[in-house]
Amino acid sequence: PSKKGLSAGAQQAEMRRLLDKMASMRMNAIIFQVRPQADAVYQSRIEPWSPWLTGTMGRSPGYDPLQYCIQQAHARGIEVHAWFNPFRAVPHRDHEVSSTHISRTHPSLIKNFKVHKWLDPSDRYTRQRALSVISDVVQRYDVDGVHIDDYFYPYPSVDKNGRATPTFPDGKSSKQRRSYVDSFVKDMYSTVNSKKSWVRVGISPFGIWKPGVPRGTTASINAYEHLAADSRKWLASGWCDYLSPQLYWRNSGPQSFSLLLQWWRAQGSRPVWPGIATSRINSSEDPGRPASEITNQVQLSRTVGRNYAGHVHWSAKALMQNRGGISSALTKSYYTQP
């Protein structure tokens, strides 16, 4: 919701407005976050209610947001992909958690990193807990997809030599960490497939697999080394039904949208639907970015390389605001049919 503690009716009205906007733009899917921090934006027997709903972890909002979202979205012909964060426990150490939160029930699993509390991905229970949560949602809800994003190991600060400072306090090598994340991704895909084969598994990793790949591409973060994300392997191995690398940069420059998209679409046969940073229009992250940068990227997503059946906007907020006229431009010229 736009703020914590709104009534159930006010939250539902916001959801309807958002979905009405997406339907008016002829959009066909939304990615809806259901597990921000080892909590639940739905009725769960495993984890406590998310504090982002009521302001207090564990307090019911008086309805089931995921169920309501699915009902309302499907009535408008829109798919719902449930978005999980598998390993984040608490985004800030000062956040209050309920007595049933995993950081209280299983404190030995928790690693402190910068201001975060993080579940240790090297522990089998951590990975199994996330799989159990995902499996539970797939079994009980009529979701069309399951989605995870770029947070596997947390983002470090990086010095001028490309070294992480600090490093994640688990005593493991980068190679070992990648093996834990690889096993989780592979198991997630097989778990969802075994429950409902029609539910699509999507991943939106950091948009650059490794700095320097493809040639000329630069990045301070090395997702392969720092985040333990061998996302190229997942795509090439078919461990997802679609990949949405976060190609949040402009088309010109050392992180060229079209160059990266061409590379990604050559790495496997599954669809690559690029993540596009619509929320960076006229933003502090990218001052002066015009809406035309986004419409150009939408057009490129339909023509560059193989598998050009779609793209993903980050996020709905800019579309709701019609920032820089982007929603009007898309509806008029690019989204002319559902």
Side-chain angles (χ1 to χ4, degrees):
S2 60
K3 58 184 178 181
K4 300 173 186 177
L6 294 178
S7 69
Q11 291 187 23
Q12 290 171 342
E14 285 193 346
M15 176 68 71
R16 291 194 303 273
R17 280 197 299 274
L18 191 152
L19 290 169
D20 283 344
K21 179 66 173 181
M22 298 305 112
S24 74
M25 294 182 67
R26 309 179 187 94
M27 306 273 275
N28 60 16
I30 61 164
I31 297 173
F32 180 63
Q33 191 167 40
V34 298
R35 192 200 197 216
Q37 53 188 73
D39 54 2
V41 186
Y42 59 93
Q43 181 69 56
S44 173
R45 295 183 296 271
I46 302 173
E47 294 182 312
W49 282 105
S50 174
W52 300 102
L53 298 168
T54 64
T56 303
M57 183 178 284
R59 180 182 294 167
S60 169
Y63 75 111
D64 187 322
L66 176 56
Q67 186 60 46
Y68 190 76
C69 177
I70 292 168
Q71 173 202 337
Q72 293 292 319
H74 284 179
R76 292 162 174 78
I78 296 172
E79 291 188 7
V80 176
H81 294 220
W83 166 18
F84 301 82
N85 191 300
F87 305 135
R88 183 168 58 202
V90 187
H92 196 284
R93 58 180 172 241
D94 293 338
H95 286 196
E96 292 186 13
V97 297
S98 69
S99 61
T100 58
H101 188 258
I102 195 165
S103 64
R104 303 273 292 275
T105 61
H106 295 73
S108 63
L109 297 177
I110 300 299
K111 299 291 185 184
N112 293 308
F113 184 79
K114 298 201 284 190
V115 299
H116 321 300
K117 291 183 181 293
W118 213 263
L119 287 158
D120 183 358
S122 71
D123 192 289
R124 184 183 297 273
Y125 183 86
T126 292
R127 302 192 300 274
Q128 188 54 54
R129 171 78 165 232
L131 292 173
S132 297
V133 166
I134 292 169
S135 177
D136 176 53
V137 168
V138 170
Q139 285 184 281
R140 292 194 297 119
Y141 292 88
D142 188 20
V143 293
D144 304 283
V146 160
H147 194 92
I148 59 174
D149 60 7
D150 54 321
Y151 285 98
F152 300 98
Y153 282 77
Y155 280 76
S157 301
V158 179
D159 67 19
K160 62 183 179 182
N161 297 312
R163 290 188 296 250
T165 56
T167 56
F168 191 74
D170 62 353
K172 308 295 184 184
S173 68
S174 295
K175 184 177 180 180
Q176 287 175 307
R177 291 175 188 149
R178 283 193 298 276
S179 73
Y180 300 130
V181 175
D182 284 350
S183 70
F184 172 76
V185 170
K186 185 178 181 181
D187 289 347
M188 176 183 66
Y189 187 66
S190 60
T191 296
V192 174
N193 256 298
S194 70
K195 301 301 179 187
K196 292 179 180 176
S197 60
W198 62 90
V199 172
R200 288 188 279 202
V201 174
I203 307 174
S204 53
F206 185 74
I208 297 170
W209 174 59
K210 289 182 182 179
V213 181
R215 182 178 296 177
T217 303
T218 63
S220 58
I221 287 290
N222 186 327
Y224 182 82
E225 290 291 335
H226 299 151
L227 310 183
D230 192 355
S231 43
R232 179 183 177 274
K233 177 194 282 188
W234 313 332
L235 179 62
S237 302
W239 295 347
C240 56
D241 294 306
Y242 67 92
L243 197 79
S244 292
Q246 296 175 4
L247 305 188
Y248 291 171
W249 305 279
R250 295 198 192 200
N251 196 44
S252 60
Q255 297 94 17
S256 165
F257 176 90
S258 56
L259 181 65
L260 285 162
L261 181 57
Q262 183 80 45
W263 183 86
W264 275 111
R265 283 185 166 164
Q267 304 311 308
S269 59
R270 299 288 169 92
V272 172
W273 300 334
I276 295 175
T278 309
S279 287
R280 289 190 180 169
I281 295 170
N282 299 329
S283 67
S284 58
E285 300 106 314
D286 189 359
R289 178 184 290 206
S292 60
E293 179 71 32
I294 302 305
T295 54
N296 289 342
Q297 291 184 3
V298 167
Q299 192 58 37
L300 286 165
S301 76
R302 296 173 172 181
T303 55
V304 169
R306 298 180 297 171
N307 304 326
Y308 46 83
H311 51 270
V312 178
H313 290 278
W314 170 259
S315 68
K317 186 176 290 185
L319 297 173
M320 294 295 288
Q321 295 169 346
N322 194 23
R323 194 176 299 170
I326 183 61
S327 302
S328 300
L330 289 169
T331 304
K332 180 181 177 182
S333 303
Y334 296 87
Y335 299 162
T336 56
Q337 52 191 312

